[in-house]
Short mmCIF file of all heavy atoms in Angstrom, two decimals:
data_model
loop_
_atom_site.label_atom_id
_atom_site.label_comp_id
_atom_site.label_asym_id
_atom_site.label_seq_id
_atom_site.Cartn_x
_atom_site.Cartn_y
_atom_site.Cartn_z
N GLY B 886 115.98 91.28 94.86
CA GLY B 886 116.18 90.26 95.90
C GLY B 886 117.17 90.70 96.94
O GLY B 886 116.97 90.49 98.15
N ARG B 887 118.26 91.34 96.50
CA ARG B 887 119.27 91.81 97.45
C ARG B 887 118.70 92.93 98.32
O ARG B 887 118.92 92.96 99.54
CB ARG B 887 120.50 92.30 96.67
CG ARG B 887 121.66 92.72 97.56
CD ARG B 887 122.98 92.75 96.80
NE ARG B 887 122.93 93.61 95.63
CZ ARG B 887 123.09 93.16 94.37
NH1 ARG B 887 123.29 91.88 94.14
NH2 ARG B 887 123.06 93.99 93.36
N TYR B 888 117.93 93.85 97.71
CA TYR B 888 117.35 94.96 98.48
C TYR B 888 116.35 94.45 99.52
O TYR B 888 116.26 95.00 100.62
CB TYR B 888 116.66 95.95 97.54
CG TYR B 888 116.09 97.15 98.26
CD1 TYR B 888 116.92 98.18 98.71
CD2 TYR B 888 114.73 97.23 98.54
CE1 TYR B 888 116.42 99.26 99.42
CE2 TYR B 888 114.21 98.31 99.25
CZ TYR B 888 115.06 99.32 99.68
OH TYR B 888 114.55 100.38 100.39
N LEU B 889 115.60 93.40 99.16
CA LEU B 889 114.61 92.85 100.09
C LEU B 889 115.24 91.93 101.14
O LEU B 889 114.54 91.38 101.99
CB LEU B 889 113.54 92.08 99.31
CG LEU B 889 112.65 92.90 98.36
CD1 LEU B 889 111.68 92.00 97.62
CD2 LEU B 889 111.91 93.98 99.13
N GLY B 890 116.56 91.75 101.05
CA GLY B 890 117.26 90.92 102.03
C GLY B 890 117.07 89.44 101.83
O GLY B 890 117.18 88.64 102.77
N LEU B 891 116.81 89.05 100.57
CA LEU B 891 116.55 87.64 100.26
C LEU B 891 117.81 86.89 99.84
O LEU B 891 117.76 85.68 99.61
CB LEU B 891 115.50 87.54 99.15
CG LEU B 891 114.14 88.16 99.48
CD1 LEU B 891 113.20 88.07 98.28
CD2 LEU B 891 113.51 87.49 100.70
N GLY B 892 118.92 87.60 99.73
CA GLY B 892 120.18 86.94 99.37
C GLY B 892 120.39 86.81 97.89
O GLY B 892 119.63 87.34 97.06
N TYR B 893 121.47 86.12 97.54
CA TYR B 893 121.86 85.91 96.14
C TYR B 893 121.90 84.40 95.85
O TYR B 893 122.32 83.62 96.70
CB TYR B 893 123.26 86.52 95.89
CG TYR B 893 123.81 86.21 94.53
CD1 TYR B 893 123.47 86.99 93.44
CD2 TYR B 893 124.67 85.12 94.33
CE1 TYR B 893 123.97 86.69 92.17
CE2 TYR B 893 125.16 84.81 93.08
CZ TYR B 893 124.81 85.61 92.00
OH TYR B 893 125.29 85.32 90.76
N PRO B 894 121.42 83.99 94.67
CA PRO B 894 120.81 84.79 93.60
C PRO B 894 119.36 85.16 93.92
O PRO B 894 118.64 84.40 94.57
CB PRO B 894 120.90 83.87 92.39
CG PRO B 894 120.88 82.49 92.95
CD PRO B 894 121.60 82.57 94.27
N GLY B 895 118.95 86.33 93.44
CA GLY B 895 117.64 86.85 93.77
C GLY B 895 116.48 86.13 93.10
O GLY B 895 115.40 86.03 93.67
N GLY B 896 116.71 85.64 91.86
CA GLY B 896 115.63 85.00 91.11
C GLY B 896 114.95 83.85 91.84
O GLY B 896 113.74 83.88 92.07
N PRO B 897 115.70 82.81 92.21
CA PRO B 897 115.08 81.69 92.92
C PRO B 897 114.46 82.09 94.25
O PRO B 897 113.42 81.56 94.65
CB PRO B 897 116.26 80.71 93.12
CG PRO B 897 117.23 81.06 92.04
CD PRO B 897 117.11 82.54 91.88
N ALA B 898 115.11 83.04 94.95
CA ALA B 898 114.59 83.47 96.25
C ALA B 898 113.25 84.18 96.10
O ALA B 898 112.30 83.93 96.86
CB ALA B 898 115.60 84.39 96.93
N ILE B 899 113.15 85.06 95.10
CA ILE B 899 111.88 85.76 94.85
C ILE B 899 110.82 84.77 94.40
O ILE B 899 109.65 84.86 94.80
CB ILE B 899 112.09 86.88 93.81
CG1 ILE B 899 112.89 88.03 94.45
CG2 ILE B 899 110.75 87.39 93.28
CD1 ILE B 899 113.23 89.15 93.50
N ASP B 900 111.20 83.82 93.55
CA ASP B 900 110.26 82.80 93.08
C ASP B 900 109.64 82.06 94.27
O ASP B 900 108.42 81.82 94.32
CB ASP B 900 111.01 81.82 92.17
CG ASP B 900 110.07 80.94 91.35
OD1 ASP B 900 108.84 81.04 91.52
OD2 ASP B 900 110.57 80.15 90.53
N ARG B 901 110.45 81.71 95.23
CA ARG B 901 109.97 80.95 96.40
C ARG B 901 109.05 81.78 97.29
O ARG B 901 107.94 81.36 97.61
CB ARG B 901 111.16 80.44 97.23
CG ARG B 901 111.90 79.26 96.60
CD ARG B 901 112.87 78.65 97.60
NE ARG B 901 113.90 79.59 98.01
CZ ARG B 901 115.06 79.75 97.40
NH1 ARG B 901 115.33 79.04 96.31
NH2 ARG B 901 115.96 80.62 97.84
N ILE B 902 109.49 82.97 97.67
CA ILE B 902 108.71 83.76 98.62
C ILE B 902 107.46 84.34 97.97
O ILE B 902 106.45 84.59 98.65
CB ILE B 902 109.57 84.87 99.25
CG1 ILE B 902 108.88 85.42 100.50
CG2 ILE B 902 109.86 85.98 98.25
CD1 ILE B 902 109.74 86.38 101.30
N ALA B 903 107.49 84.56 96.65
CA ALA B 903 106.33 85.11 95.94
C ALA B 903 105.12 84.18 96.03
O ALA B 903 103.98 84.64 95.95
CB ALA B 903 106.68 85.39 94.49
N MET B 904 105.37 82.90 96.22
CA MET B 904 104.27 81.95 96.33
C MET B 904 103.43 82.20 97.58
O MET B 904 102.27 81.77 97.66
CB MET B 904 104.82 80.51 96.35
CG MET B 904 105.47 80.10 95.04
SD MET B 904 106.12 78.41 95.10
CE MET B 904 106.91 78.29 93.48
N GLU B 905 103.98 82.92 98.55
CA GLU B 905 103.27 83.21 99.79
C GLU B 905 102.62 84.59 99.76
O GLU B 905 101.91 84.97 100.70
CB GLU B 905 104.25 83.15 100.97
CG GLU B 905 105.01 81.84 101.10
CD GLU B 905 106.15 81.92 102.10
OE1 GLU B 905 106.21 82.93 102.84
OE2 GLU B 905 106.97 80.98 102.14
N GLY B 906 102.85 85.36 98.71
CA GLY B 906 102.36 86.74 98.65
C GLY B 906 101.21 86.95 97.68
O GLY B 906 100.82 86.04 96.93
N ASP B 907 100.70 88.17 97.68
CA ASP B 907 99.60 88.58 96.79
C ASP B 907 100.20 89.33 95.60
O ASP B 907 100.72 90.44 95.77
CB ASP B 907 98.64 89.48 97.56
CG ASP B 907 97.49 89.99 96.69
OD1 ASP B 907 97.43 89.62 95.49
OD2 ASP B 907 96.66 90.77 97.21
N PRO B 908 100.12 88.75 94.39
CA PRO B 908 100.72 89.41 93.23
C PRO B 908 100.02 90.70 92.80
O PRO B 908 100.54 91.44 91.97
CB PRO B 908 100.60 88.34 92.13
CG PRO B 908 99.45 87.49 92.55
CD PRO B 908 99.50 87.46 94.05
N HIS B 909 98.85 90.96 93.38
CA HIS B 909 98.11 92.18 93.03
C HIS B 909 98.06 93.17 94.19
O HIS B 909 97.31 94.14 94.15
CB HIS B 909 96.67 91.80 92.61
CG HIS B 909 96.63 90.78 91.52
ND1 HIS B 909 97.08 91.05 90.24
CD2 HIS B 909 96.22 89.49 91.52
CE1 HIS B 909 96.94 89.96 89.49
NE2 HIS B 909 96.42 89.00 90.25
N ALA B 910 98.90 92.93 95.19
CA ALA B 910 98.91 93.81 96.36
C ALA B 910 99.44 95.20 96.02
O ALA B 910 98.97 96.20 96.57
CB ALA B 910 99.76 93.18 97.47
N ILE B 911 100.39 95.27 95.11
CA ILE B 911 101.03 96.54 94.75
C ILE B 911 101.04 96.67 93.23
O ILE B 911 101.46 95.75 92.53
CB ILE B 911 102.48 96.61 95.28
CG1 ILE B 911 102.51 96.30 96.79
CG2 ILE B 911 103.09 97.98 95.00
CD1 ILE B 911 103.86 95.87 97.29
N ALA B 912 100.57 97.79 92.74
CA ALA B 912 100.48 98.01 91.28
C ALA B 912 101.79 98.60 90.77
O ALA B 912 101.90 99.82 90.54
CB ALA B 912 99.31 98.92 90.95
N PHE B 913 102.81 97.75 90.60
CA PHE B 913 104.08 98.23 90.08
C PHE B 913 103.95 98.52 88.58
O PHE B 913 103.15 97.89 87.88
CB PHE B 913 105.17 97.20 90.32
CG PHE B 913 105.64 97.13 91.75
CD1 PHE B 913 105.71 95.91 92.43
CD2 PHE B 913 106.03 98.28 92.42
CE1 PHE B 913 106.14 95.84 93.75
CE2 PHE B 913 106.46 98.23 93.75
CZ PHE B 913 106.51 97.01 94.40
N PRO B 914 104.76 99.46 88.07
CA PRO B 914 104.64 99.86 86.66
C PRO B 914 105.14 98.78 85.69
O PRO B 914 105.98 97.96 86.04
CB PRO B 914 105.53 101.11 86.58
CG PRO B 914 106.54 100.92 87.67
CD PRO B 914 105.78 100.24 88.79
N ARG B 915 104.57 98.81 84.48
CA ARG B 915 105.01 97.95 83.38
C ARG B 915 105.57 98.86 82.28
O ARG B 915 104.83 99.31 81.41
CB ARG B 915 103.86 97.14 82.80
CG ARG B 915 103.58 95.83 83.53
CD ARG B 915 102.68 96.04 84.72
NE ARG B 915 102.05 94.78 85.13
CZ ARG B 915 101.78 94.48 86.39
NH1 ARG B 915 102.07 95.35 87.37
NH2 ARG B 915 101.19 93.34 86.69
N ALA B 916 106.86 99.16 82.35
CA ALA B 916 107.47 100.10 81.40
C ALA B 916 107.40 99.56 79.98
O ALA B 916 107.61 98.38 79.73
CB ALA B 916 108.92 100.37 81.79
N MET B 917 107.08 100.45 79.03
CA MET B 917 107.06 100.14 77.59
C MET B 917 106.10 99.00 77.26
O MET B 917 106.26 98.30 76.26
CB MET B 917 108.48 99.80 77.10
CG MET B 917 109.50 100.90 77.36
SD MET B 917 111.17 100.48 76.83
CE MET B 917 110.96 100.47 75.04
N TYR B 918 105.09 98.81 78.09
CA TYR B 918 104.17 97.68 77.94
C TYR B 918 103.51 97.65 76.56
O TYR B 918 103.36 96.59 75.95
CB TYR B 918 103.10 97.76 79.03
CG TYR B 918 102.20 96.56 79.12
CD1 TYR B 918 102.62 95.40 79.76
CD2 TYR B 918 100.91 96.60 78.58
CE1 TYR B 918 101.79 94.29 79.87
CE2 TYR B 918 100.07 95.49 78.68
CZ TYR B 918 100.51 94.35 79.32
OH TYR B 918 99.69 93.25 79.41
N ASN B 919 103.11 98.82 76.08
CA ASN B 919 102.41 98.89 74.80
C ASN B 919 103.30 99.41 73.67
O ASN B 919 102.80 99.73 72.59
CB ASN B 919 101.17 99.79 74.93
CG ASN B 919 100.15 99.20 75.88
OD1 ASN B 919 99.78 98.03 75.78
ND2 ASN B 919 99.68 100.01 76.83
N ASP B 920 104.59 99.51 73.93
CA ASP B 920 105.51 100.10 72.95
C ASP B 920 106.47 99.06 72.37
O ASP B 920 107.47 98.71 73.00
CB ASP B 920 106.33 101.23 73.60
CG ASP B 920 105.44 102.34 74.15
OD1 ASP B 920 104.37 102.55 73.58
OD2 ASP B 920 105.83 102.97 75.14
N GLY B 921 106.17 98.54 71.21
CA GLY B 921 107.09 97.68 70.49
C GLY B 921 107.47 96.42 71.23
O GLY B 921 106.71 95.87 72.03
N LEU B 922 108.70 95.96 70.98
CA LEU B 922 109.17 94.70 71.53
C LEU B 922 110.40 94.84 72.43
O LEU B 922 110.98 93.85 72.85
CB LEU B 922 109.48 93.72 70.38
CG LEU B 922 108.27 93.33 69.50
CD1 LEU B 922 108.73 92.45 68.33
CD2 LEU B 922 107.20 92.62 70.31
N ASP B 923 110.79 96.08 72.71
CA ASP B 923 111.91 96.29 73.62
C ASP B 923 111.42 96.28 75.07
O ASP B 923 110.22 96.43 75.35
CB ASP B 923 112.61 97.62 73.32
CG ASP B 923 113.46 97.56 72.06
OD1 ASP B 923 113.92 96.44 71.72
OD2 ASP B 923 113.66 98.60 71.42
N PHE B 924 112.37 96.13 76.00
CA PHE B 924 112.06 96.01 77.42
C PHE B 924 112.80 97.08 78.22
O PHE B 924 113.84 97.58 77.80
CB PHE B 924 112.48 94.64 77.96
CG PHE B 924 111.89 93.47 77.24
CD1 PHE B 924 112.51 92.91 76.12
CD2 PHE B 924 110.70 92.90 77.68
CE1 PHE B 924 111.97 91.82 75.47
CE2 PHE B 924 110.15 91.81 77.03
CZ PHE B 924 110.78 91.26 75.92
N SER B 925 112.27 97.37 79.41
CA SER B 925 112.95 98.24 80.36
C SER B 925 112.55 97.81 81.77
O SER B 925 111.36 97.78 82.10
CB SER B 925 112.57 99.71 80.14
OG SER B 925 113.10 100.52 81.17
N PHE B 926 113.54 97.48 82.60
CA PHE B 926 113.25 97.02 83.96
C PHE B 926 113.89 97.89 85.04
O PHE B 926 113.67 97.66 86.23
CB PHE B 926 113.71 95.57 84.13
CG PHE B 926 112.95 94.60 83.26
CD1 PHE B 926 113.57 94.02 82.15
CD2 PHE B 926 111.63 94.28 83.53
CE1 PHE B 926 112.88 93.15 81.34
CE2 PHE B 926 110.93 93.40 82.72
CZ PHE B 926 111.55 92.83 81.62
#
């Protein structure tokens, strides 16, 4: 959110603007998607 210039906190700002965008426009990676229950962002 900060990098995109949406301000702080980034969560609510991204939630709001994402409603106007295409969630499939860019194929961002899903790290460790098929590996266990740990996460990496």
